[in-house]
């Protein structure tokens, strides 16, 4: 097995696949290592309406199209979880299955949903509590669901669920944080309502009971939690390239403090998290490597 590549890309989301596309077209050999499934969090998006060239496309369809494009070009994608990166004369990317030597590393591992951390949450995960409306929404057709959160992702999830569920209740703690157009859109949907409160505990008998800190109870069939994200970057904590929130620090050229190790996409601490921004970052890095 070949374990030496010019570039190892960690993560097969939109950023990782874009980097692979540009490197391949520049004639640079690369490999993508992915611990779960291609696409990353875009597979949770049921309806992407701001991706150029498509008036509307689902996240899963976009991921499949991107994966087919790079694999048809010969880019190798291996499903292995990276546990560590070591730096010597060469970079060594270590997975649970083996090791890969390379000259450059592009970290494109994105983020994962944040947990509420309240009583009953872990026990009911996959048993009525979900973090992905697109993944699990079909289980609640013609039922009642609650979306916890008031971010863009929470409102997008609620809008998606409104097409399947009988009722959608948005449970929010303080104020709406979603973009104005999403707030305008969600308020026009008849089967979406809003309740202000903070979750204290989840209980379950035949249905799920959400107990709030002001002693209210909401009875529902399913809960979808959207309260924020955590960067998938703890595997490089020993390199000293993370900020105090666990995101990867880079310079203006998207390189970390270690020469030859770059980071792109949602593992970076930035103001906007958008598909096209992550793809643009990946293209910049791939072009930079092609010039080195």
């Amino acid at each position: 097995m070949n374990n030496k590549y010019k570039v190892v890309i960690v993560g097969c989301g939109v950023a990782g696949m874009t980097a692979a596309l540009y490197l391949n077209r520049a004639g640079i050999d690369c490999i993508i290592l992915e611990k779960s499934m291609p696409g990353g969090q875009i597979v949770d998006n049921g309806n992407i309406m701001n991706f150029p060239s498509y008036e509307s496309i689902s996240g899963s369809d976009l991921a499949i199209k991107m994966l087919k494009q790079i694999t048809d070009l010969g880019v190798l994608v291996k499903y292995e979880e990276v546990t560590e990166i070591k730096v010597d004369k060469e970079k060594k990317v270590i997975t649970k299955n083996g090791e890969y030597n390379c000259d450059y590393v592009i970290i494109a591992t994105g983020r994962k949903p944040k947990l509420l951390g309240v009583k009953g949450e872990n026990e009911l995960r996959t048993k009525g509590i979900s973090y992905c409306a697109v993944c699990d929404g079909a289980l609640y057709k013609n039922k009642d669901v609650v979306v916890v959160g008031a971010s863009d992702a929470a409102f997008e999830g609620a809008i998606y669920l409104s097409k399947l569920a009988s009722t959608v209740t948005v449970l929010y703690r303080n104020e709406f944080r979603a973009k104005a157009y999403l707030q305008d859109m969600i308020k026009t949907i008849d089967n979406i309502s809003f309740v202000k409160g903070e979750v204290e505990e989840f209980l379950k008998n035949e249905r799920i009971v959400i107990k709030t800190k002001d002693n209210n109870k909401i009875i529902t069939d399913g809960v979808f939690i959207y309260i924020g994200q955590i960067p998938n970057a703890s595997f490089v904590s020993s390199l000293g390239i993370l900020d105090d929130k666990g995101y990867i620090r880079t310079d203006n050229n998207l390189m970390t403090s270690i020469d030859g190790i770059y980071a792109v996409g949602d593992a970076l601490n930035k103001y906007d998290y958008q598909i096209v921004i992550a793809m643009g970052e990946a293209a910049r890095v791939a072009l930079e490597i092609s010039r080195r």
Side-chain angles (χ1 to χ4, degrees):
M1 179 186 75
N2 176 27
N3 69 343
K4 173 66 197 302
Y5 295 86
K6 189 74 173 177
V7 184
V8 171
I9 301 166
V10 186
C12 194
V14 294
M17 288 191 280
T18 300
L21 173 64
Y22 273 75
L23 290 168
N24 178 276
R25 291 179 64 87
I28 297 172
D29 65 312
C30 64
I31 184 173
I32 297 178
L33 302 175
E34 167 59 50
K35 72 174 183 178
S36 55
M37 65 176 136
Q41 288 203 85
I42 70 163
V43 300
D44 297 347
N45 292 335
N47 197 28
I48 299 170
M49 295 183 290
N50 59 357
F51 189 84
S53 79
Y54 291 104
E55 291 184 6
S56 176
I57 186 171
S58 72
S60 56
D61 284 346
L62 181 59
I64 290 169
K65 288 177 181 292
M66 293 185 70
L67 181 66
K68 183 179 186 303
Q69 182 179 19
I70 63 170
T71 54
D72 283 353
L73 290 170
V75 174
L76 180 62
V77 179
K78 297 196 72 174
Y79 297 96
E80 300 182 20
E81 182 176 357
V82 174
T83 58
E84 189 179 2
I85 297 174
K86 292 184 176 180
V87 180
D88 199 356
K89 291 181 180 179
E90 290 184 320
K91 281 75 177 174
K92 182 176 291 186
V93 179
I94 301 170
T95 75
K96 291 184 175 180
N97 303 92
E99 299 179 354
Y100 298 85
N101 297 316
C102 59
D103 298 320
Y104 302 97
V105 180
I106 300 175
I107 303 170
T109 45
R111 305 186 294 174
K112 61 186 175 184
K114 186 182 293 184
L115 306 184
L116 278 172
V118 300
K119 187 176 179 181
E121 181 178 11
N122 283 331
E123 292 81 359
L124 294 178
R125 290 180 69 180
T126 73
K127 298 176 183 177
I129 292 180
S130 173
Y131 304 84
C132 173
V134 173
C135 303
D136 300 324
L139 299 173
Y140 300 95
K141 189 172 183 180
N142 300 321
K143 295 184 178 182
D144 302 318
V145 299
V146 171
V147 172
V148 179
S151 63
D152 287 353
F155 278 27
E156 287 168 353
I159 292 167
Y160 177 83
L161 290 165
S162 71
K163 301 171 185 177
L164 298 169
S166 293
T167 66
V168 179
T169 301
V170 176
L171 178 61
Y172 66 102
R173 188 174 62 178
N174 293 313
E175 67 281 335
F176 293 167
R177 295 182 291 111
K179 291 185 176 67
Y181 83 92
L182 286 171
Q183 294 189 38
D184 292 341
M185 185 184 301
I186 204 169
K187 290 172 184 175
T188 67
I189 300 174
D190 292 337
N191 64 338
I192 296 179
S193 60
F194 303 90
V195 173
K196 190 172 185 178
E198 185 174 354
V199 178
E200 182 175 64
E201 182 181 3
F202 293 106
L203 304 166
K204 186 172 183 180
N205 293 314
E206 292 183 1
R207 305 176 81 197
I208 292 179
V209 178
I210 303 172
K211 184 179 177 182
T212 66
K213 290 187 176 180
D214 54 0
N215 292 318
N216 285 330
K217 290 183 179 179
I218 302 172
I219 299 174
T220 188
D221 297 302
V223 179
F224 293 83
I225 299 174
Y226 288 92
I227 59 162
Q229 302 285 329
I230 300 171
N232 294 317
S234 60
F235 68 98
V236 292
S237 58
S238 63
L239 296 179
I241 59 175
L242 303 182
D243 66 15
D244 58 358
K245 294 183 179 179
Y247 288 90
I248 301 173
R249 296 192 307 265
T250 67
D251 61 19
N252 290 335
N253 292 318
L254 299 165
M255 188 166 72
T256 69
S257 57
I258 301 172
D259 184 44
I261 297 183
Y262 296 85
V264 297
D266 290 4
L268 302 177
N269 192 356
K270 53 190 178 181
Y271 187 77
D272 291 308
Y273 294 88
Q274 296 290 315
I275 293 171
V276 292
I277 292 173
M279 294 171 73
E281 291 166 351
R284 280 182 58 199
V285 167
L287 292 170
E288 173 67 19
I289 290 174
S290 71
R291 288 190 289 263
R292 292 188 63 167

